[in-house]
Amino acid sequence: MHYQVDSWGYYMPRMSMGSDPMERVAKLASESAVVIFSLSSCCMCHAVKRLFCGLGVNPTVYELDQDPRGKDMEAALMRLLGNSQAVPVVFIGGKLIGAMDRVMASHINGTLVPLLKEAGALWL
Amino acid sequence: MNVPTGFIHQEGSAFGFGELEEAIVLQGLNIRNDEAKAPLFTTGRPAATLEMFPSWPMRFKQTPRGSSKSGGGSTDSGSAVNTISSKTENQLEPESPISSKNTTPLDHQQQKQQEMMASDVSRTGASQNQSIAKLPQEKRRGSTSEKQLDAKTLRRLAQNREAARKSRLRKKAYVQQLESSRIKLTQLEQDLQRSRSQGFFLGGCAGAVGNISSGAAIFDMEYSRWLEDDQRHMSELRTGLNAHLSDSDLRIIVDTYISHYDEIFRLKVVAAKADVFHLITGMWTTPAERCFLWMGGFRPSELIKMLISQLDPLTEQQVMGIYSLQHSSQQAEEALTQGLEQLQRSLTDTIAGGPVIDGMQQMAIAIGKLANLEGFVRQADNLRQQTLHQLSRILTVRQAARCFLMIGEYYGRLRALSSLWTSRPRESMMSDEHSCQTTTDLQMVQPSQNHFSEF
């Protein structure tokens, strides 16, 4: 584990100092039932947010362009997904679901809603 | 080289540039070849300067600037000049002493212009060499004695007139040929446009029409091939159903049909990258299909709505599955639509108003945003593909076979509708070929097992 010197120098609660970006992603992903990593300027991210809101889910959204470590996390997500687009990416119950195409595929084949219910994001 | 461009580009203007051009060349050649010899048409002036705008006789100035040129004028090497390719502009026929060798000092500017035009003309005439070759001879002959002026000169003048007339005729013929080709081209384009809207895609020609990108042309070709394959697959489905094949055999046919659809979605991925607007505007489909266009293709929930009533008998579980599919499809479509609207808003914000100073920056940002369109069309196609796959999961093999047959027939009828629409009787539009077209289309519309769409 390597230590990063935080240039802001103030203590950020709930963040382990020196965590690598992928660890941070995993940590954030596990803290809420539905986690979406996004960029505020990205329209596909807007679409995925609308999808979940339309389902009655209240996702936790992290806008990476507004996060000081956003760039690193973006890079980590790109590596994780194996493509050039880091966002949007969705985690449900701490587990990676994927980018928009996977989310839509799982909604169409009926697996998305059970996952949401299982994670406690939906009650019906 | 300080050449005034206005002068150079006066081709075809009232100026009769081409004629002047050749006069200059001639003059240049004369100067080069025969510095020492006395000019033929000298009026007694010492001539070292090229007179660009001599007091030409009225005859020259009256020459209509269309396709015919002035006749009769000649120089000592006039006939040589006139053998220069008819593709060049006007032939030179001044009667003027322009061809006289002037020895007065040239204006610097005029000198440059002369060189410029000389090089222009030399580029155009293949027979330039020929004329140059002829030149010295003619010059020599012409300048042997001033007493021979009348006889030989007159003959030469006549020859020049004749040559000039011939070249005028050639030019006229060429121009007429160009005009008729142009008309033919516009007619062809119209025919092509009409054929495309009728759902016929000409194999190799799609790319020839100027207003279609190559990515779009390639996709159109592949799509037309896909449509032919579609017909084949559909008849397989039909025969399979009618022949009461075993489920496993039918399953093979159904799976093949699903892969057939997978293929068009693969092709659309490539097309979206090459030319997203071709897909999103629906120019790859027929007009009637375009009415229902959503994000570059069909709207899955609408397709399911169309199918629902025709798919019975369905088990209760199947009914629930289909309605659930329709519902989730609608939700996904709504999400994508909202994403696209966000993109549109963002694009408007970028290009509306804003500082003119960094207009290029503005455009660069806008282009970056436009690039997102590809992603939306891809997600929409992904949605369409997933919907078809899910349908085949919910339905039994036989139901799936009938379902896909219905989908194929539905779109076939939409395409037939487009083509009927295009060839529908209008005031002056009815012709034999159109009525043949109509007959074939009506045959396509013959009811099969399913009644016409209740869509």
Side-chain angles (χ1 to χ4, degrees), chain A residues 40 43-44 46-47 50-51 54-55 100-102 104-105 107-110, chain B residues 325 328-329 331 335-336 338-339 342-343 375-376 379 382-383 386 390 393:
Chain A
S40 54
C43 303
M44 197 54 82
H46 182 78
R50 297 311 317 158
L51 179 64
L55 296 176
M100 185 54 153
D101 53 349
R102 295 285 287 278
M104 293 225 296
H107 188 41
I108 291 298
N109 68 25
Chain B
L325 176 60
S328 37
S329 179
Q331 287 168 326
L336 284 177
Q338 290 195 22
Q342 165 89 318
L343 177 61
F376 279 97
Q379 292 304 329
N382 176 40
L383 186 62
Q386 296 299 326
Q390 180 68 359
R393 270 177 237 128

Side-chain angles (χ1 to χ4, degrees), chain B residues 378-419:
Chain B
R378 280 192 58 173
Q379 292 304 329
D381 279 340
N382 176 40
L383 186 62
R384 291 183 259 266
Q385 187 178 24
Q386 296 299 326
T387 304
L388 290 174
H389 278 252
Q390 180 68 359
L391 263 178
S392 76
R393 270 177 237 128
I394 295 172
L395 301 171
T396 66
V397 177
R398 292 196 72 80
Q399 288 169 331
R402 274 176 41 224
C403 172
F404 286 120
L405 200 55
M406 272 181 245
I407 294 174
E409 284 175 352
Y410 172 70
Y411 285 109
R413 290 199 199 114
L414 265 186
R415 283 191 292 272
L417 187 61
S418 297
S419 122

Side-chain angles (χ1 to χ4, degrees), chain B residues 167-327:
Chain B
S167 108
R168 277 199 301 281
L169 286 172
R170 277 200 301 275
K171 176 170 176 173
K172 197 169 178 185
Y174 179 68
V175 167
Q176 273 177 358
Q177 197 189 17
L178 281 178
E179 286 295 317
S180 62
S181 296
R182 196 171 61 83
I183 293 169
K184 218 186 299 177
L185 182 64
T186 32
Q187 277 174 355
L188 276 173
E189 280 183 346
Q190 282 173 9
D191 286 343
L192 186 63
Q193 197 54 40
R194 201 175 13 241
S195 307
R196 278 167 55 80
S197 63
Q198 289 170 3
F200 289 79
F201 295 96
L202 305 178
C205 290
V209 180
N211 51 1
I212 186 171
S213 74
S214 65
I218 289 168
F219 177 72
D220 282 351
M221 270 165 51
E222 291 177 321
Y223 178 59
S224 76
R225 222 174 290 135
W226 186 87
L227 284 174
E228 288 167 13
D229 288 345
D230 198 52
Q231 290 292 97
R232 217 177 3 96
H233 281 113
M234 273 174 43
S235 59
E236 271 179 36
L237 278 170
R238 228 175 262 122
T239 31
L241 280 169
N242 293 335
H244 302 286
L245 289 178
S246 69
D247 275 4
S248 48
D249 289 340
L250 206 52
R251 168 58 55 190
I252 295 171
I253 300 178
V254 169
D255 284 348
T256 315
Y257 195 71
I258 295 176
S259 331
H260 166 72
Y261 260 96
D262 286 343
E263 210 218 311
I264 190 64
F265 292 123
R266 261 198 307 276
L267 291 170
K268 285 182 85 181
V269 167
V270 177
K273 212 179 296 280
D275 187 348
V276 68
F277 286 105
H278 185 64
L279 292 182
I280 219 170
T281 55
M283 293 316 294
W284 60 284
T285 58
T286 61
E289 289 174 281
R290 241 172 270 152
C291 278
F292 302 100
L293 198 76
W294 172 78
M295 245 180 248
F298 67 85
R299 193 183 269 269
S301 57
E302 279 180 359
L303 185 71
I304 295 168
K305 247 186 263 173
M306 185 272 289
L307 289 168
I308 272 180
S309 54
Q310 302 178 72
L311 281 173
D312 28 88
L314 294 170
T315 68
E316 201 169 306
Q317 192 180 23
Q318 284 179 323
V319 169
M320 279 178 54
I322 299 271
Y323 274 103
S324 166
L325 176 60
Q326 187 189 341
H327 187 51

Side-chain angles (χ1 to χ4, degrees), chain B residues 72-74 76 78-80 82 93 134 138 141 152-166:
Chain B
S74 82
D76 52 348
S79 55
N82 292 325
E93 273 120 355
K134 269 194 183 180
E138 300 258 348
R141 256 182 292 144
K152 273 193 180 165
T153 321
L154 285 172
R155 192 159 40 90
R156 239 177 267 122
L157 281 171
Q159 284 171 350
N160 282 351
R161 268 195 295 274
E162 192 50 44
R165 196 177 64 84
K166 287 203 182 116

Side-chain angles (χ1 to χ4, degrees), chain B residues 353-360 362:
Chain B
V356 181
I357 298 163
D358 48 10
M360 282 316 292
Q362 205 178 20

